[in-house]
Structure formats: structure tokens, C-alpha cells
């Protein structure tokens, strides 16, 4: 089965530093998502991306966050100045269409630790 | 606003037993779909089963089946003949037909004992 690939699997950074989390969605997929899961808490939607622009974003996705699809294969999430509360598992996901029989594929996640 | 509630933080059963995980949700939308995702210790999110709201028939996938009660807004997951590899966090999620901005429950930790 095709896979969504996320790198790195773990990222440790100092508070205030910028981080970029990388994702390679499945090649023929058109819709891309970032979710995060703070340890012990619910999974939260961050942002969806289609046709090279953000289609939806949550309240969490403030000015510190940005997404980009720089080269047609990678899909990145950048956090400009990390805070302690940004520590979480970040999941990338992709799907081909929004048809109800389509499956949303998740990557294995990047565990971000902000010290 | 949409919400998903999983009222069982943790459950544990013996191997080969049947277990049912509860999920209730709230939405004013008519077109939506519901998911159960499994998250093993590796923390990858794996789709277990999905149900479209417009379908009356309950979805099944091998040992996994759901009891979808639309009027009651209930979507429980039944795991038959449970196996040690079923040990994981199980998340119920609600998605609207227009996007995959999924709303997630808090999860149920399922432990299968040998």
C-alpha cells in the first residue's frame, strides 16, 4: 500500500527556534493535512491544503505556523518560533479526492520536543 | 460545533474475547462520515473502519464491525476474537463531507491480555 512519509521521526529543538517538519504525501494525492497530538490529549486539526493554498485552518494555526509545497512532492509545516506548548506529535495526511469513499492516509508522525 | 465523545478512557479484555468501544458524536450536518482509527505504540494512525452517514448498513472489516445508530448519534466499534496485536489506542473521529477536517475523540486505550 502507498505510504505518506514524514521526516524526521523525532525532532528536538530549543524554545524560540524555527523548525520545519517534512512530509512526502502519496504522489497522486491532491489534498494535504497537518494534525497534531499533544501527549495524552486529542488529535487536533491544524490545516488543510489544496491547489497550492490553505483551504481550512484551525485556531491553533496562528501566524507562527506556515505550510508550503515547495517542489510538487514535499509538504512542509514550519513553526517560526517554537514554544514549549508546541511539543507534540505532528501527523501529515493526504488523500486523492474528497469523495466519501476515499481514504485518508497518515504518515508515521514527527515527535517534536521543545526544550 | 461538532464534538466526539469517547467515554471509556481504558478497557482491557482477555485474548479471543469480544470488546465494544463506545463513541457518541454531535453534528448538525446531514452528510458526514465516521471513522475508527487505531494508534499502536508506534503512534502511527491506522484506519480501522469507516462509515458513511447516508448508509444504513453497518460497516464491517473482518473482525471489526460498527454499530451505527444515526438517530442516537452513536458509533460503537466491536472487535471480535480480540488479538494481542489489537492492543492500542482507538480513536473515533467525525468528518464532514466537504473536507477531512476531522474532529477526534479523546481515545480509548485497549489492552488485550494473554
Amino acid at each position: 500500500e502507498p505510504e505518506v512519509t514524514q521526516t524526521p521521526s523525532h525532532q528536538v529543538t530549543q524554545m524560540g527556534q524555527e523548525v520545519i517538519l517534512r512530509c512526502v504525501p502519496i504522489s497522486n494525492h491532491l489534498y494535504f493535512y497537518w494534525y497534531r497530538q499533544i501527549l495524552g490529549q486529542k488529535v487536533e486539526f491544524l490545516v488543510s491544503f489544496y491547489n497550492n493554498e490553505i483551504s481550512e485552518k484551525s485556531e491553533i494555526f496562528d501566524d507562527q505556523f506556515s505550510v508550503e509545497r515547495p517542489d510538487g512532492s514535499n509538504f512542509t509545516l514550519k513553526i517560526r518560533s517554537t514554544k514549549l506548548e508546541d511539543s507534540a506529535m505532528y501527523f501529515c495526511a493526504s488523500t486523492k479526492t474528497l469523495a466519501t469513499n476515499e481514504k485518508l492516509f497518515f504518515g508515521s508522525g514527527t515527535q517534536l520536543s521543545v526544550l | 460545533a461538532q464534538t466526539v465523545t469517547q467515554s471509556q478512557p481504558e478497557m482491557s479484555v482477555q485474548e479471543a474475547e469480544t470488546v465494544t468501544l463506545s463513541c457518541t458524536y454531535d453534528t448538525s450536518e446531514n452528510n458526514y462520515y465516521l471513522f475508527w482509527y487505531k494508534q499502536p505504540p508506534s503512534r502511527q494512525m491506522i484506519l480501522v473502519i469507516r462509515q458513511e452517514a447516508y448508509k444504513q448498513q453497518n460497516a464491517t472489516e473482518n473482525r471489526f464491525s460498527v454499530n451505527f445508530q444515526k438517530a442516537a448519534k452513536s458509533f460503537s466499534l466491536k472487535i471480535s476474537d480480540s488479538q494481542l496485536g489489537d492492543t492500542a489506542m482507538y480513536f473515533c473521529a467525525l468528518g464532514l463531507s466537504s473536507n477531512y477536517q476531522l474532529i477526534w475523540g479523546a481515545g480509548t486505550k485497549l489492552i488485550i491480555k494473554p
Side-chain angles (χ1 to χ4, degrees):
Chain A
E1 189 166 70
E3 285 187 350
V4 174
T5 306
Q6 286 187 247
T7 55
S9 56
H10 292 86
Q11 172 102 39
V12 180
T13 190
Q14 295 289 327
M15 191 169 59
Q17 294 294 306
E18 175 183 286
V19 293
I20 297 176
L21 309 184
R22 301 181 193 282
C23 170
V24 179
I26 293 167
S27 61
N28 61 350
H29 284 191
L30 301 175
Y31 296 82
F32 314 111
Y33 304 83
W34 283 101
Y35 292 85
R36 80 170 183 192
Q37 185 184 28
I38 296 171
L39 188 64
Q41 296 188 23
K42 290 187 179 188
V43 178
E44 300 169 295
F45 166 79
L46 292 179
V47 66
S48 60
F49 191 86
Y50 170 71
N51 199 27
N52 278 322
E53 59 183 31
I54 291 173
S55 44
E56 302 271 356
K57 61 181 181 178
S58 71
E59 290 176 357
I60 302 165
F61 195 88
D62 62 20
D63 293 343
Q64 291 299 314
F65 291 88
S66 62
V67 289
E68 197 176 37
R69 189 156 160 80
D71 55 14
S73 63
N74 290 284
F75 178 52
T76 61
L77 174 69
K78 180 161 73 175
I79 309 174
R80 287 192 186 83
S81 177
T82 49
K83 307 186 191 77
L84 296 176
E85 54 265 36
D86 294 328
S87 294
M89 180 72 102
Y90 288 81
F91 291 101
C92 173
S94 72
T95 187
K96 192 190 303 185
T97 74
L98 295 181
T100 55
N101 61 347
E102 281 290 352
K103 188 175 166 181
L104 184 65
F105 289 81
F106 281 85
S108 299
T110 293
Q111 179 65 54
L112 176 65
S113 298
V114 182
L115 306 178
Chain B
Q2 281 74 228
T3 59
V4 176
T5 303
Q6 291 178 252
S7 57
Q8 304 151 314
E10 185 169 320
M11 294 187 72
S12 119
V13 297
Q14 294 293 136
E15 192 177 6
E17 287 183 350
T18 293
V19 60
T20 299
L21 309 184
S22 302
C23 173
T24 57
Y25 62 93
D26 192 25
T27 179
S28 56
E29 299 287 327
N30 211 26
N31 295 319
Y32 55 90
Y33 36 91
L34 294 154
F35 303 87
W36 279 98
Y37 279 91
K38 170 184 177 180
Q39 188 182 41
S42 65
R43 297 196 74 183
Q44 182 166 15
M45 207 63 80
I46 302 165
L47 178 64
V48 175
I49 200 164
R50 63 181 290 160
Q51 172 84 42
E52 284 79 16
Y54 65 86
K55 289 187 177 176
Q56 291 186 331
Q57 188 173 9
N58 288 325
T60 63
E61 285 285 342
N62 302 313
R63 298 183 294 109
F64 299 88
S65 61
V66 297
N67 183 5
F68 174 47
Q69 302 286 328
K70 191 172 183 179
K73 294 184 178 172
S74 168
F75 182 62
S76 60
L77 174 70
K78 185 170 87 170
I79 306 174
S80 304
D81 185 27
S82 57
Q83 300 173 359
L84 297 178
D86 295 333
T87 292
M89 284 290 290
Y90 286 81
F91 292 95
C92 179
L94 166 69
L96 302 182
S97 60
S98 58
N99 60 56
Y100 263 105
Q101 188 175 327
L102 299 181
I103 297 99
W104 298 75
T108 295
K109 184 177 181 181
L110 177 64
I111 299 168
I112 309 297
K113 297 182 287 189

